[in-house]
Amino acid sequence: MAGETVITVVGNLTSDPELRYTQGGLAVANFTIASTPRNFDRAANEWKDGDALFLRASVWREFAEHVAGSLTKGARVVATGRLKQRSYETKEGEKRTSFELEIDDIGPSLKYATASLTRAASSNSHGGQQPSQGGAQNGWATTAPGGAPASVSAGAGGDVWNTPGNFSDETPF
């Protein structure tokens, strides 16, 4: 990752992730994260919102399906990824530049919510082991503050961190 700009963004999804498939069959999920700084104004003795940053983001392959099935509009997330710049020309001939976050990792913020983890079924491309399944939903489910605390489920063994699974850090394209 030498020379790449890696950033972490904390914010809220502005809409549900949009899951699509390329002509080659690769899943991609696109969404926007809105990050708004909040500062305390001592003179007014109140919190004030700053200017929001709206950052387009994308995830690829099985990761995209997990995100689309787990996160929804309004969810507060913590996302880490590589900032990408894209230059293009509009139909009118105007040159434009846009920035996008290619997500390496994302999850719900637990600052104002709780979450429940369910190990996702893997595509099983590494070693023939299948993780045990617990629960009906893949990924994260969050509840609002004051809701009943969610439990962490790992299937039959009960230990989500010691359940065999599929890990790959290869580039998603």
Side-chain angles (χ1 to χ4, degrees), residues 39-56:
N39 298 306
F40 189 74
D41 182 344
R42 291 182 191 267
N45 198 33
E46 64 184 9
W47 288 94
K48 293 194 176 181
D49 288 339
D51 294 331
L53 167 69
F54 293 91
L55 188 57
R56 288 295 294 167

Side-chain angles (χ1 to χ4, degrees), residues 11-29:
N12 298 78
L13 298 189
T14 62
S15 62
D16 290 344
E18 178 187 349
L19 181 63
R20 296 179 297 119
Y21 292 86
T22 66
Q23 289 180 348
L26 288 178
V28 60

Side-chain angles (χ1 to χ4, degrees), residues 1-13:
M1 290 214 279
E4 293 184 308
T5 304
V6 177
I7 65 170
T8 299
V9 177
V10 178
N12 298 78
L13 298 189

Side-chain angles (χ1 to χ4, degrees), residues 13 15-18 31 33 59 63 65-79 106-109 137-142:
L13 298 189
S15 62
D16 290 344
E18 178 187 349
F31 50 93
I33 301 171
V59 293
F63 187 18
E65 294 171 340
H66 295 171
V67 167
S70 302
L71 299 175
T72 57
K73 177 181 179 177
R76 185 173 178 86
V77 297
V78 179
I106 188 169
S109 168
Q137 178 181 352
N138 289 341
W140 294 95
T142 59

Side-chain angles (χ1 to χ4, degrees), residues 34-113:
S35 180
T36 308
R38 250 179 105 82
N39 298 306
F40 189 74
D41 182 344
R42 291 182 191 267
N45 198 33
E46 64 184 9
W47 288 94
K48 293 194 176 181
D49 288 339
D51 294 331
L53 167 69
F54 293 91
L55 188 57
R56 288 295 294 167
S58 63
V59 293
W60 291 86
R61 299 189 177 178
E62 191 175 33
F63 187 18
E65 294 171 340
H66 295 171
V67 167
S70 302
L71 299 175
T72 57
K73 177 181 179 177
R76 185 173 178 86
V77 297
V78 179
T80 300
R82 291 162 280 134
L83 193 60
K84 301 289 184 176
Q85 177 178 314
R86 184 181 335 200
S87 297
Y88 61 96
E89 196 169 303
T90 66
K91 294 176 184 176
E92 295 79 27
E94 298 172 324
K95 293 187 178 190
R96 300 271 173 98
T97 301
S98 66
F99 294 92
E100 183 174 295
L101 185 62
E102 193 169 292
I103 302 285
D104 292 323
D105 210 352
I106 188 169
S109 168
L110 300 181
K111 189 171 186 176
Y112 304 113

